[in-house]
Amino acid sequence: MKSTIVLLGPPGSGKGTQGEKLSEELGYVRLSTGDMLREAVRNQTELGKKAKEFMDAGALVPNDLIIGLMKEKIAQAKGGVILDGFPRTVEQADALAEQLDVDLALNLDVDDEELITRLTKRRSCPQCNAVYHLVYNAPKTEGVCDKCGSALYQRDDDKEETVRNRLKVYRENTMPLIDYYGGKGTLVTIKGVGSIDDIFAQVKKVVE
Ligand code: AMP
């Protein structure tokens, strides 16, 4: 089994959903920079205060804040790790390469129109970070998390205008990582459309 996996792909491509399933079924430690940053914002830590304005605008949080945070979390993690939302720039990828070898960069490919519908109809759990879609993956009770019972919310950055900016930021800053990992021979691209379980079956084949 691959021990260090980077999940690539635009916002809304299913990195969180597939990463969570890999962690539940195959025991990986999933490290999501987005989840960590949202928690820091909620707890109003120094990092959270610095990150908030960038996140609200759909922009990237500066590399120096993210690289330090991830270095520490990766060093603490035991066993296989899945990096969800990191790296998002070539500078972050270079910093990661200094710390460990990436065995697999799994790229989930989804087109823009689909991403916009997914993100604007996404609802998230502030407590356990589970995600739902109002149409394709609705919670059993409207507005309530199936997993932990907390009230679901719409992330501020899932509103349409911010979503468009996030997609632009993705194209400019993160898409170059497809060539970056392609050049290292670790890239696998999977079409991220279809049912969650069908996509997961393909993901598992690549990981195992
Ligand atoms: P996500 O939940 O992965 O969509 O991340 C939400 C937001 O957190 C992004 O739009 C960025 O503002 C910020 N963020 C998450 N990961 C990174 C990263 N690796 N580098 C810079 N900003 C990040």
Side-chain angles (χ1 to χ4, degrees), residues 1-206:
M1 221 162 75
K2 307 279 191 289
S3 69
T4 302
I5 302 174
V6 162
L7 293 178
L8 287 178
S13 58
K15 300 188 294 296
T17 304
Q18 297 298 329
E20 196 50 44
K21 281 179 86 70
L22 282 173
S23 130
E24 278 167 10
E25 290 200 20
L26 303 179
Y28 282 91
V29 175
R30 172 177 163 255
L31 298 175
S32 155
T33 40
D35 286 350
M36 288 174 205
L37 290 168
R38 278 183 291 281
E39 195 183 320
V41 171
R42 269 199 296 278
N43 295 333
Q44 299 186 357
T45 65
E46 279 311 305
L47 169 68
K49 285 179 198 158
K50 288 182 192 150
K52 188 176 183 321
E53 59 172 310
F54 297 100
M55 295 173 75
D56 285 349
L60 292 182
V61 171
N63 282 327
D64 54 338
L65 292 179
I66 296 286
I67 290 171
L69 170 76
M70 278 309 260
K71 269 218 154 98
E72 205 183 303
K73 297 284 179 191
I74 290 169
Q76 288 164 358
K78 294 196 173 61
V81 285
I82 292 179
L83 305 179
D84 169 358
F86 179 88
R88 257 177 158 101
T89 62
V90 169
E91 194 180 330
Q92 291 177 14
D94 283 338
L96 176 63
E98 281 173 19
Q99 194 176 8
L100 47 70
D101 289 328
V102 170
D103 299 306
L104 170 69
L106 186 59
N107 177 37
L108 294 171
D109 180 29
V110 180
D111 71 43
D112 275 15
E113 281 318 301
E114 169 79 13
L115 293 171
I116 289 166
T117 357
R118 280 190 191 180
L119 289 168
T120 52
K121 290 198 165 27
R122 177 159 79 175
R123 294 296 179 269
S124 307
C125 177
Q127 195 57 40
C128 73
N129 300 311
V131 289
Y132 299 88
H133 183 279
L134 292 181
V135 181
Y136 304 127
N137 177 29
K140 291 192 182 84
T141 309
E142 196 185 322
V144 179
C145 179
D146 291 350
K147 291 190 179 161
C148 75
S150 302
L152 300 176
Y153 80 118
Q154 182 178 34
R155 280 170 45 176
D156 281 341
D157 63 351
D158 280 346
K159 311 243 159 91
E160 182 156 351
E161 201 188 304
T162 316
V163 163
R164 289 192 186 274
N165 194 40
R166 287 165 67 199
L167 293 178
K168 182 166 167 271
V169 167
Y170 166 77
R171 275 192 294 274
E172 286 168 6
N173 298 280
T174 311
M175 253 175 103
L177 294 181
I178 294 176
D179 284 345
Y180 181 100
Y181 287 113
K184 292 184 189 289
T186 46
L187 181 81
V188 174
T189 294
I190 287 179
K191 266 245 162 276
V193 280
S195 79
I196 291 174
D197 288 340
D198 286 349
I199 299 167
F200 187 60
Q202 295 178 59
V203 167
K204 242 164 112 178
K205 267 193 211 145
V206 175

